[in-house]
C-alpha cells in the first residue's frame, strides 16, 4: 500500500492529481508547492522521538546492558551524544518548538518566540509568539499530501495543535508514557503516515522529583529505553514499514541535580541525536559524516554565530523533511540547507 504522500507525488509526476478548489488556511498551515521528488529514496515515513530530559551521561552510566534499545539505535544508525539544545534556553516547550520549526527561540532574531514552559493560552499560537507566520515540519508534510500525528506526554503540547490545526491529523496527549507508546504502536500498525512526532517524559519527571542522575532517574531512563525499543520494534517487525521508515531520536535538554534551567551548564545543553533507517550507515558518527558542515563542539555551548555549527536538536525538522525528499521549513535556520548528511558520500 502506498502512503498518501507517495500517491500525491506519483500523481503529480504524471499530471493526474484531482483538481481541488483553493482553500483559505490559517497562518501556519500549509502552503502549496512544498514537495520535491527523488524517485530512488526509499524513505516515505519518519518517526521522530524526543526523550524529555535525557542526560547523555546516563547512557554511559547504564551501558548497553541496561539501555539496550538506545544503544542498539546508535549501533544501527548514525548518532552523536554531543549535540546541542537551542542556545537561549534549556527547557521543554521552547526546545521542542525548535525541533519542529527549525528556528531558534528568540523572536527578535527570527526565532519562534515560544519562551514559556507551561499550559498558558496567551499567546495562543506559535505565530502569535513570533509575530509572524511560522511553518513547521507538520505544515510541510501536509502540504505535500502526507499525514502527520503528534503523540505527547505533556499537555503544553496542545500549543502545536492550535498553531497548525489543519496540518496535524491526529493529536494524542497522554501523561502515562506506557499508554502513549501503545497508542504509537497501534498507529504504526493501522495508519499510513509520513511523519509522527513522539514525546516521552519519564526521565524529566523523575529528574524533577528525585534529581537528575539519581538512582530513580536512571531507572526512568531504563523504562523509557524499553518504550523506545517497543516503538522501534513495531517498525522493524512490520514488513510494510521496515524498508521505508527512518527513526530520529533526540532530547530537549539534559539535567543534573535539581533541574535543567541553567542554559550555561554542559549537563543541560548537551543532548543525544540519533537517526536510523534505510541507507543510513550502522554505527556512524554524525560529526564524521559531516566534517565539512558541522563541528563537534567539545564542551562548548556554541552560539548561533559560530561556524561550523554543532548538530542541534533543532535540526530534526529539516532532517525529517530531507529524508522525505521535501523542501526545508520556510523561515527555518537549523539545517535549512538540508546539509546534515546521514549517509556516506558517493564513492
Amino acid at each position: 500500500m502506498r502512503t498518501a504522500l507517495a500517491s500525491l507525488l506519483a500523481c503529480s509526476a504524471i499530471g493526474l492529481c484531482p483538481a481541488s478548489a483553493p482553500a483559505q488556511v490559517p497562518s501556519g498551515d500549509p502552503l502549496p508547492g512544498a514537495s520535491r521528488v527523488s524517485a530512488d529514496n526509499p524513505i516515505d515515513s519518519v518517526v521522530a522521538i524526543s526523550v524529555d530530559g535525557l542526560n547523555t551521561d546516563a547512557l554511559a552510566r547504564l551501558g548497553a546492558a541496561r539501555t539496550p534499545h538506545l544503544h542498539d539505535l546508535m549501533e544501527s544508525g548514525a548518532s552523536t551524544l554531543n549535540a546541542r539544545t537551542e542556545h537561549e534556553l534549556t527547557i521543554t516547550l521552547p526546545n521542542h518548538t525548535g525541533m519542529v520549526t527549525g528556528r531558534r527561540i528568540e523572536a527578535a532574531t527570527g526565532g519562534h518566540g515560544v519562551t514559556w514552559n507551561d499550559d498558558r493560552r496567551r499567546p495562543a499560537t506559535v505565530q502569535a509568539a513570533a509575530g509572524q507566520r511560522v511553518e513547521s515540519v507538520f505544515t510541510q508534510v501536509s502540504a505535500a499530501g502526507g499525514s502527520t500525528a503528534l503523540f505527547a506526554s505533556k499537555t503544553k503540547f496542545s500549543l502545536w495543535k492550535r498553531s497548525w490545526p489543519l496540518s496535524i491529523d491526529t493529536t494524542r496527549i497522554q501523561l502515562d508514557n506506557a499508554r502513549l507508546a501503545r497508542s504509537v504502536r497501534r498507529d504504526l500498525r493501522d495508519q499510513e503516515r509520513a511523519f509522527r512526532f513522539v514525546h516521552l517524559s519519564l526521565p524529566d519527571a523523575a529528574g524533577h522529583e528525585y534529581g537528575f542522575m539519581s538512582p530513580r532517574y536512571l531507572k526512568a531512563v531504563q523504562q523509557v529505553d524499553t518504550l523506545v525499543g517497543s516503538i522501534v520494534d513495531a517498525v522493524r517487525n512490520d514488513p510494510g514499514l521496515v524498508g521505508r521508515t527512518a527513526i530520529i531520536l533526540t532530547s530537549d535538554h539534559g539535567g543534573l541535580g535539581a533541574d535543567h534551567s541553567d542554559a550555561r551548564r554542559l549537563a543541560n545543553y548537551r543532548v543525544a541525536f540519533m537517526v536510523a533507517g534505510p541507507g543510513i550507515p550502522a554505527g556512524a558518527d554524525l560529526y564524521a559524516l559531516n566534517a565539512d558542515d558541522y563541528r563537534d563542539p567539545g564542551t562548548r555551548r556554541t552560539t548561533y554565530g559560530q561556524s561550523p555549527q554543532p548538530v542541534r536538536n533543532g535540526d530534526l525538522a529539516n532532517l525529517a523533511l530531507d529524508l522525505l525528499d521535501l523542501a526545508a521549513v520556510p523561515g527555518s535556520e537549523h539545517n535549512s540547507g538540508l546539509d546534515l548528511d546521514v549517509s556516506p558520500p558517493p564513492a
Side-chain angles (χ1 to χ4, degrees):
M1 182 186 298
R2 293 190 303 181
T3 64
L5 177 64
S7 297
L8 182 69
L9 296 180
C11 73
S12 296
I14 60 176
L16 294 179
C17 292
S20 58
Q24 294 296 113
V25 296
S27 178
D29 273 301
L31 294 171
S35 65
R36 57 188 180 86
V37 184
S38 174
D40 59 355
N41 185 348
I43 295 172
D44 60 10
S45 174
V46 172
V47 179
I49 303 172
S50 174
V51 178
D52 198 323
L54 179 61
N55 183 325
T56 59
D57 285 340
L59 298 180
R61 180 84 60 86
L62 293 167
R66 288 188 286 174
T67 48
H69 303 290
L70 290 169
H71 279 83
D72 178 69
L73 196 61
M74 289 189 283
E75 292 166 5
S76 63
S79 66
T80 178
L81 296 180
N82 199 32
R84 290 292 179 264
T85 64
E86 301 286 8
H87 183 263
E88 302 98 320
L89 296 168
T90 49
I91 54 179
T92 297
L93 195 58
N95 270 269
H96 279 95
T97 305
M99 289 181 204
V100 298
T101 64
R103 291 177 181 248
R104 65 177 70 186
I105 295 170
E106 186 181 46
T109 55
H112 55 67
V114 177
T115 57
W116 64 93
N117 197 33
D118 52 36
D119 287 291
R120 71 187 64 180
R121 298 297 294 261
R122 294 290 182 271
T125 64
V126 176
Q127 291 78 20
Q132 61 176 309
R133 187 182 184 98
V134 178
E135 307 291 342
S136 68
V137 60
F138 299 110
T139 62
Q140 291 299 94
V141 171
S142 181
S147 179
T148 72
L150 166 64
F151 300 88
S153 51
K154 290 181 177 178
T155 55
K156 65 188 75 174
F157 282 86
S158 60
L159 169 70
W160 292 2
K161 185 60 177 176
R162 295 196 303 273
S163 301
W164 304 293
L166 303 183
S167 299
I168 303 177
D169 298 301
T170 293
T171 300
R172 171 76 165 162
I173 296 178
Q174 169 56 253
L175 275 61
D176 185 311
N177 281 213
R179 292 179 64 183
L180 186 72
R182 284 198 296 272
S183 295
V184 176
R185 297 195 301 270
R186 184 166 54 248
D187 192 78
L188 285 164
R189 183 191 66 209
D190 296 341
Q191 302 296 328
E192 287 279 359
R193 300 198 195 277
F195 182 76
R196 295 171 175 89
F197 191 99
V198 182
H199 165 261
L200 299 170
S201 63
L202 275 172
D204 186 66
H208 283 293
E209 186 168 359
Y210 303 106
F212 289 84
M213 296 302 293
S214 68
R216 295 290 290 268
Y217 170 84
L218 294 174
K219 180 64 175 177
V221 173
Q222 290 182 264
Q223 292 171 329
V224 85
D225 176 82
T226 299
L227 297 180
V228 169
S230 72
I231 294 169
V232 174
D233 286 346
V235 171
R236 290 177 174 172
N237 295 331
D238 188 325
L241 294 173
V242 64
R244 60 181 184 85
T245 302
I247 296 170
I248 304 171
L249 185 143
T250 189
S251 183
D252 53 346
H253 56 76
L256 186 64
D259 66 14
H260 51 76
S261 60
D262 186 348
R264 301 165 298 177
R265 195 175 191 182
L266 175 64
N268 298 338
Y269 63 69
R270 181 177 58 196
V271 293
F273 198 104
M274 312 173 189
V275 54
I280 299 168
D285 179 88
L286 271 175
Y287 287 111
L289 288 176
N290 292 274
D292 292 337
D293 298 307
Y294 293 83
R295 180 174 297 164
D296 189 322
T299 60
R300 297 183 301 279
R301 184 177 167 202
T302 313
T303 68
Y304 300 126
Q306 292 174 270
S307 182
Q309 281 285 289
V311 175
R312 291 190 186 274
N313 56 13
D315 293 331
L316 185 153
N318 285 330
L319 176 58
L321 292 169
D322 195 17
L323 290 168
L324 293 169
D325 284 320
L326 300 177
V329 180
S332 63
E333 172 180 12
H334 304 311
N335 191 25
S336 60
L338 306 180
D339 52 8
L340 180 61
D341 294 324
V342 294
S343 58

